[in-house]
Amino acid sequence: MPIDATQPYDESNIFARILRGELPSETVYEDDYALAFNDIRPAAPTHVLVIPRGPYVSWDDFSERASDAEIAGFVRAVGKVARDKGLVPPGYRLLANVGADSGQEVPHLHVHVFGGKPLGPMLAR
Ligand code: AMP
């Protein structure tokens, strides 16, 4: 069910549990600021989720509360994942859902990295 992106951070969400090592994930990349792992239900040949290590509900929350170092580290991690996956050519798509209208389901900021085939139009019209 889509979340309310203004809710306080829920320490029991699935991605918080992955960060604590309580649930498994297929790790693609990790550093002090970010963890990247394969989406459990891939929507493209490459479908990686990149999450900050800190407790942020959404892009909105992150952009407001995170430190400059956390923001820089997270943005660099997203770029590194795309490069390491060989996506720069031929290209890729980033997507971050925020709140109910977007369909955000997990209340921990995540950027989807999609690639590996032509991805079609950005949204259904
Ligand atoms: P969103 O709709 O933007 O909140 O996306 C949540 C994403 O998390 C979906 O693409 C799910 O397939 C993915 N997901 C949910 N649980 C897991 C999990 N345990 N490991 C990896 N991906 C997950």
Side-chain angles (χ1 to χ4, degrees):
M1 206 173 90
I3 65 139
D4 169 2
T6 64
Q7 70 190 40
Y9 186 77
D10 171 9
E11 295 284 352
S12 69
N13 80 76
I14 291 171
F15 295 169
R17 297 181 65 198
I18 287 175
L19 280 167
R20 290 196 297 267
E22 295 167 8
L23 291 175
S25 69
E26 285 181 17
T27 301
V28 166
Y29 174 75
E30 59 183 324
D31 63 22
D32 288 348
Y33 296 105
L35 173 68
F37 51 92
N38 288 323
D39 195 291
I40 206 167
R41 289 182 55 232
T46 298
H47 185 174
V48 177
L49 301 173
V50 189
I51 67 176
R53 288 200 181 273
Y56 301 104
V57 174
S58 67
W59 189 278
D60 185 72
D61 185 26
F62 186 65
S63 63
E64 194 169 33
R65 293 196 300 113
S67 68
D68 290 356
E70 287 176 295
I71 291 171
F74 181 65
V75 170
R76 288 193 189 284
V78 173
K80 178 157 177 52
V81 166
R83 286 192 299 279
D84 289 355
K85 284 287 181 181
L87 296 178
V88 176
Y92 61 99
R93 180 171 295 155
L94 304 179
L95 183 147
N97 289 318
V98 180
D101 272 4
S102 74
Q104 181 182 2
E105 290 184 345
V106 180
H108 182 114
L109 169 62
H110 46 288
V111 169
H112 297 254
V113 182
F114 298 108
K117 68 171 186 181
L119 295 166
M122 188 167 63
L123 293 172
R125 293 181 188 275

